[in-house]
Each structure stands twice: as C-alpha cells, then as structure tokens.
Amino acid sequence: ATWPARAVQIWQILVGAAQNRQTLTYGRLAELLHFKGAGTLGGMLGHIFYFCRENELPPLTALVVNHDTGLPGEGLIGVDLNAAREKVYLLDWYGIVPPSPEEFEAAFDRGKKTQIAAGER
C-alpha cells in the first residue's frame, strides 16, 4: 500500500485513540499495521500531520510517541505537546469525514513544498 493509503488506516487508529484519550508508541502503531518495525512510519504520519496543519486541525500525530522519551517525532518540535494533545482529545474527530488517500497526498505535497521554501528540514 502507498503512504497515503496507509495514512487513511493510521488516521482511523488515531481517531480511536483520541476518543479514548490514549497515546500510542511508534512500535505499537507498527504492530497494529502488521509492520516489522516502526522506522517506516514517518512518511505516513507526515501525510496526516500536513493534512491537519493545512485544515487547521490539532496535530493528530501528537498521539504517536517514542517508547523511551514519550515524545512525538521531530515534526512537532516547538509545539506545546500537552496543549496539542488536549486539543486532539477534545475535537469531535468522528464528526470529520476521513480524508482520502488523494487528499492526504495533496496536503503532504503542498506541506513539503512550503517547508522547503521556508528552508526547514
């Protein structure tokens, strides 16, 4: 499956986690997707991150954390994580129609272009 298609699956998992006020480690998310390791999740989560940012939604990806540090990936550096997670928990995610793979891909492409133009990593 493509990253955008996997982003749809991950969106559904994270919406359920948000409803239950849970975080997931990268490893647990990888297990739920039947991946052998968590190292491949960055691009898929990036699709969700950029979609949320573009649509002024709280960063759903803030719910995925490193097992050792309890922190999300570097895309959320400089964000007040406690406030971001609380916003994620409070939003009625089930009231939002899940994005399609095409919507995720378009948001990711636009987000990456903006990031590159701004000189960010």
Side-chain angles (χ1 to χ4, degrees), residues 36-116:
K36 295 198 186 305
T40 58
L41 294 172
M44 295 168 235
L45 290 168
H47 282 69
I48 296 170
F49 172 78
Y50 285 119
F51 181 86
C52 288
R53 187 167 80 175
E54 187 172 277
N55 289 280
E56 299 181 3
L57 297 169
L60 191 55
T61 54
L63 301 185
V64 186
V65 299
N66 179 285
H67 179 268
D68 295 327
T69 66
L71 299 172
E74 63 185 44
L76 291 171
I77 290 174
V79 172
D80 179 342
L81 295 174
N82 291 327
R85 280 197 192 115
E86 195 58 32
K87 288 178 184 176
V88 169
Y89 293 148
L90 293 174
L91 187 67
D92 177 16
W93 292 97
Y94 289 121
I96 298 171
V97 175
S100 68
E102 295 78 18
E103 289 172 306
F104 276 130
E105 186 169 29
F108 182 79
D109 290 344
R110 287 188 295 268
K112 282 305 230 183
K113 286 179 186 171
T114 301
Q115 184 179 13
I116 290 168

